[in-house]
Amino acid sequence: MGMPEIPSNLQERLRAAKSVAVLSGSGISAESGVPTFRDAQTGMWARYSPEDLATPQAFQRNPRMVWEWYQWRRQLVLEAQPNSGHLAIAAMEGRFAGFRLVTQNVDGLHQRAGSSRVLELHGNIFRNLCFREGIELDELVESIEPPPRCPHCGGPVRPGVVWFGESLSGKVFEESLRACTDADVLLVVGTSGLVHPAAGLPAHAKASGTFVVEVNPESTPISGLADVVLRDKAGPALTSLLEALP
Ligand code: BV8
């Protein structure tokens, strides 16, 4: 299968663009072998849905199980490599006067691909926080019964991600909203557009006059408002897009 065609209107928009923003979701990490949020969970986690595990209530109910789910995911991500989609986005950074990357992902693969100043709406799976105090921890006290404990108060340690029912960082969200609405072109890559408030960013961008592009093999609630849809996988589509740049 040849590389995806980039429509001429999109090529023109990118040529004229001073600022470009990208909003990515777990679909961009799929080609790295990291399951998306709505893929069936595999192995021992098959019977759980992420929405049931990624909540403060689940952690309070069963800290060991939730902690071990994150340890399993951390290992998966450490064994994964950034793919051509991550690399194309990292390369785009140097091609526009203004470029911002906003991600819903917590896997850190954009940073490993070379992207800088990544706005992580939902935190990062490799950070550790005290569940009681909310502060970030650099060292943990191992305990016989996982999760490890906070060295200050002895509380259980949790991953530094935003769980369902938890508020995003106001600062990060404001900066992400501005990045999307200030952009001449917004590339929305690999997201089902179901998780709010992140899923509302493309509509805000569109309302402010941004040219919105969706890159996703499947249609989503964002497809209807996109000016261009590249119904393709992120890797090949973003590689073609990068090659079409002046
Ligand atoms: C909030 C970190 C205010 C954790 C994540 C009831 C009570 C409380 C809140 C709510 C409620 N009802 C609704 C809400 C709001 C809730 C929400 O939106 N729920 C959804 C399920 C309806 N949101 C929240 O709770 C947010 N906080 O609202 O705060 C508040 C506070 C208190 C009380 C009320 C409100 C917090 C949301 C953040 C949750 N944390 N991650 C962790 O990772 O463990 S979200 C999680 O989903 C991931 O970060 C993931 O990125 C994100 C979104 O999913 P997607 O990235 O879109 O991934 P998905 O699998 O869905 O789709 C993949 C897509 O890729 C597909 O479209 C597929 O076609 C495509 N694809 C596949 N392969 C490829 C590809 N695309 C390109 N190339 C490929 N190769």
Side-chain angles (χ1 to χ4, degrees):
M1 185 167 95
M3 293 300 272
E5 277 295 302
I6 304 298
S8 55
N9 61 340
L10 174 53
Q11 292 194 36
E12 279 144 36
R13 287 280 177 161
L14 288 169
R15 279 210 190 90
K18 296 271 178 307
S19 58
V20 168
V22 174
L23 170 64
S24 69
S26 58
I28 194 165
S29 296
E31 291 158 75
S32 296
V34 178
T36 67
F37 239 66
R38 269 151 204 83
D39 278 347
Q41 297 245 61
T42 55
M44 63 186 276
W45 303 104
R47 62 181 179 281
Y48 298 98
S49 106
E51 271 92 18
D52 298 336
L53 290 171
T55 70
Q57 294 76 13
F59 186 77
Q60 274 169 314
R61 219 178 13 252
N62 194 333
R64 173 169 190 162
M65 181 180 75
V66 173
W67 176 259
E68 289 180 340
W69 179 52
Y70 280 93
Q71 291 298 89
W72 175 72
R73 288 174 59 194
R74 286 169 168 175
Q75 195 48 39
L76 257 185
V77 169
L78 288 174
E79 287 160 5
Q81 293 304 323
N83 63 61
S84 57
H86 295 111
L87 295 168
I89 289 173
M92 279 178 211
E93 214 168 285
R95 308 291 287 271
F96 299 99
F99 184 88
R100 288 314 309 266
L101 170 56
V102 179
T103 188
Q104 299 171 85
N105 300 344
V106 297
D107 58 29
L109 286 175
H110 281 303
Q111 291 90 324
R112 284 172 54 194
S115 288
S116 59
R117 298 170 55 226
V118 182
L119 288 162
E120 293 179 309
L121 287 169
H122 299 152
N124 185 297
I125 198 169
F126 294 104
R127 290 174 45 217
N128 290 305
L129 309 179
C130 170
F131 181 70
R132 276 196 206 130
E133 303 162 291
I135 52 169
E136 181 145 6
L137 300 172
D138 296 331
E139 75 233 7
L140 316 175
V141 174
E142 284 314 312
S143 68
I144 296 142
E145 166 84 4
R149 315 302 290 185
C150 166
H152 311 248
C153 74
V157 175
R158 59 164 287 177
V161 298
V162 179
W163 277 330
F164 289 99
E166 292 186 322
S167 299
L168 281 63
S169 143
K171 182 174 173 305
V172 172
F173 186 73
E174 281 312 309
E175 210 175 321
S176 302
L177 177 60
R178 203 169 33 254
C180 294
T181 54
D182 286 354
D184 297 313
V185 177
L186 170 66
L187 306 177
V188 184
V189 184
T191 182
S192 59
L194 297 175
V195 174
H196 289 272
L201 290 172
H204 288 299
K206 179 79 179 183
S208 75
T210 300
F211 190 84
V212 176
V213 180
E214 176 179 63
V215 180
N216 193 321
E218 292 170 21
S219 70
T220 73
I222 294 162
S223 305
L225 68 81
D227 296 285
V228 162
V229 170
L230 301 180
R231 200 48 85 221
D232 213 308
K233 291 185 170 185
L238 294 173
T239 304
S240 282
L241 213 150
L242 180 69
E243 282 164 9
L245 296 183

